[in-house]
Each structure stands twice: as C-alpha cells, then as structure tokens.
C-alpha cells in the first residue's frame, strides 16, 4: 500500500540501522515460477534504509502467503506504524474491499478502526488525482479533502483553501452552500422503499423456489440471502443460478 518514501524518513531510519542493525526481519514470499526471486510483503522501508546504510545482508523471513493475506499483512503493518499518507491509506482500504471482497465491517475488524473512520477515509478515493496529489504532498489536510470530496468542484475548492488558508469549518460551510457532486448525491439518496424490496424478494422466491431476503446498505450496496431447507434443495438452487 505504501507508494511514497521520503528521503528524510529513510535517512533517519538508515542512521538507526547503522547503529543498531535491523531489529525486526522483513517478510518475504517467493515469486511463482521464479526461483530465488522474492517479493517484500512487509518491511520495504527497512529494506531501502538498509541499502542506504550500506548493508549487504539483513534478516528476513520467507513464508508462503497468498495475495489476500499479503495485502492484509502489508496494510496492517503500515497502518499500525502510521507510515501511510492519507491517500495511500484510503486506497489500501479500497483495494481490500474491491480485490478481496471485504465489506466495511470486515475492514473495520481487521484494522481495528471504526466503520465511520474507514468510510470517511474512502471518500478521499473519489477526489480528482490533482487534489489527491495535494494531500500526498501535505499541502491540503485529509480533513479538508474529506470535506470537499462531496462537492461538485473539489479542485477549485482545494486551491481556494490553500490560497485563503481556510479552516475545515469554513470549508464545510462552503461545501454546504455549494453544488454537490453526482457521486455524493448517489450516496445520500434514500434506499429502495420497503414495498419494492418485498416485490423483488417475492420475484426471487417464485423464480428460485426458495425464501429470498434482500438487505440494502447505505450507498446502494447490500446482500441477497437465499435460504434452503435440504442439501438437495441447495444443489437445485445452485443449478438454477448457474444456468
């Protein structure tokens, strides 16, 4: 998840490594079909700083780790060490949800942060690249960026915030009185009404001949839950769906 490595941070770590060595081994996994080639799962900062310190060898652990677990480990280590900038952190959460089929509660349990915190961080991923760049460079705070994420003109607002040194409260008032983005509107719309939900559940139940339950979340995501009474009914259900 970590994309940015500042020279000053690496220099400080390199100085520490020169004096005390690498105290915690980096974590590696072998690259498929590439003998003796390894990928760093956790510890890239230590690896880079060790090279800067002139070391030719450092301790490492080699483990068999699949893609999902590798992403989990890398994210947890970086978040716990607070080495990620806000955009890297937000994209890491987004990748866990999109690439690993995680839901918001899953990420919350994994990271040990509240669902509202992760939801707010995810808002940063909807910002234009230019605004994300300002956050990565430290010119715009993550709080300001989250506030303007729902606005129709976040890039314009970002430059206004920087030029006029606006507070987060001032920024919030600007956004409240301005136009909202289509993404914001989509996420603040009311969910499907109860009657429509019941009608859809009935259609599914009739078509599949099993009880169906729909659970909609904020933003339009959700679950369709199908219940079966016997193993035979399960196999029949699977056959209907896959056809």
């Amino acid at each position: 998840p970590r994309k940015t490595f500042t020279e000053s941070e690496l220099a400080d770590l390199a100085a520490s490594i020169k004096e005390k060595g690498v105290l915690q081994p980096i974590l590696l996994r072998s690259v498929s079909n590439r003998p003796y080639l390894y990928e760093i799962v956790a510890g890239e900062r230590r690896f880079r700083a060790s090279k800067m310190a002139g070391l030719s060898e450092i301790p490492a652990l080699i483990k068999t780790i699949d893609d999902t677990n590798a992403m989990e480990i890398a994210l947890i280590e970086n978040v716990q060490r607070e080495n990620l900038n806000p955009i890297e952190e937000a994209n890491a959460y987004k990748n866990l949800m999109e690439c690993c089929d995680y839901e918001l509660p899953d990420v919350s349990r994994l990271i040990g942060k509240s669902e509202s915190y992760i939801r707010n961080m995810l808002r940063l991923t909807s910002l234009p690249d230019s605004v994300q760049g300002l956050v990565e460079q430290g010119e715009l705070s993550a709080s300001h960026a989250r506030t303007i994420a729902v606005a129709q003109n976040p890039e314009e607002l970002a430059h206004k915030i920087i030029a006029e040194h606006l507070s987060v409260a001032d920024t919030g008032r600007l956004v409240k009185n301005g136009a909202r983005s289509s993404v914001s509107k989509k996420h603040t719309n009311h969910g499907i009404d109860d009657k429509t939900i019941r009608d859809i559940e009935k259609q599914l139940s009739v078509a599949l001949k099993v009880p169906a339950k729909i659970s909609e979340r904020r933003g339009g995501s959700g679950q369709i839950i199908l219940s079966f009474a016997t193993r035979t009914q399960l196999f029949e259900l699977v056959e209907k769906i896959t056809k």
Side-chain angles (χ1 to χ4, degrees), residues 128-201:
D129 291 344
S130 58
V131 179
Q132 292 189 30
L134 293 172
V135 178
E136 288 179 315
Q137 294 155 22
E139 296 183 44
L140 185 71
S141 76
S143 297
H144 282 96
R146 286 195 295 270
T147 304
I148 64 176
V150 298
Q152 196 172 57
N153 55 341
E155 192 167 12
E156 180 184 327
L157 285 174
H159 290 293
K160 183 179 180 67
I161 290 166
I162 295 169
E164 299 180 16
H165 306 289
L166 297 180
S167 68
V168 175
D170 291 335
T171 304
R173 283 189 285 271
L174 273 178
V175 171
K176 185 178 180 181
N177 296 326
R180 293 295 184 101
S181 71
S182 58
V183 173
S184 169
K185 290 173 185 173
K186 180 177 70 177
H187 285 284
T188 54
N189 279 343
H190 295 297
I192 303 173
D193 63 89
D194 289 343
K195 183 181 182 303
T196 304
I197 290 283
R198 301 292 85 80
D199 288 344
I200 296 172
E201 288 175 344

Side-chain angles (χ1 to χ4, degrees), residues 74-105:
L75 175 58
I76 290 169
E77 188 200 48
N78 279 284
V79 170
Q80 286 179 342
R81 291 172 179 266
E82 298 183 345
N83 288 328
L84 298 179
N85 66 51
I87 299 301
E88 289 172 334
E89 185 178 349
N91 282 319
Y93 297 149
K94 183 181 178 183
N95 286 336
L96 273 175
M97 296 178 75
E98 291 183 352
C99 302
C100 305
D101 293 327
Y102 277 34
E103 299 289 348
L104 197 62

Side-chain angles (χ1 to χ4, degrees), residues 2 4-6 9-10 12-14 17 26 40 42-51 77-78 81 83-84:
R2 186 172 169 84
T4 307
F5 298 86
T6 63
E9 284 182 355
L10 289 178
D12 290 343
L13 184 55
I17 287 172
I26 66 172
I40 298 175
E44 187 173 356
R45 284 178 73 250
R46 277 166 280 159
F47 174 75
R48 289 173 178 250
S50 297
K51 289 175 71 175
E77 188 200 48
N78 279 284
R81 291 172 179 266
N83 288 328
L84 298 179

Side-chain angles (χ1 to χ4, degrees), residues 23 28 36 74 98 102 128 154 158 187 207 238 243:
L23 301 180
L28 309 177
Y36 309 112
E98 291 183 352
Y102 277 34
H187 285 284
V238 170
K243 282 185 176 180

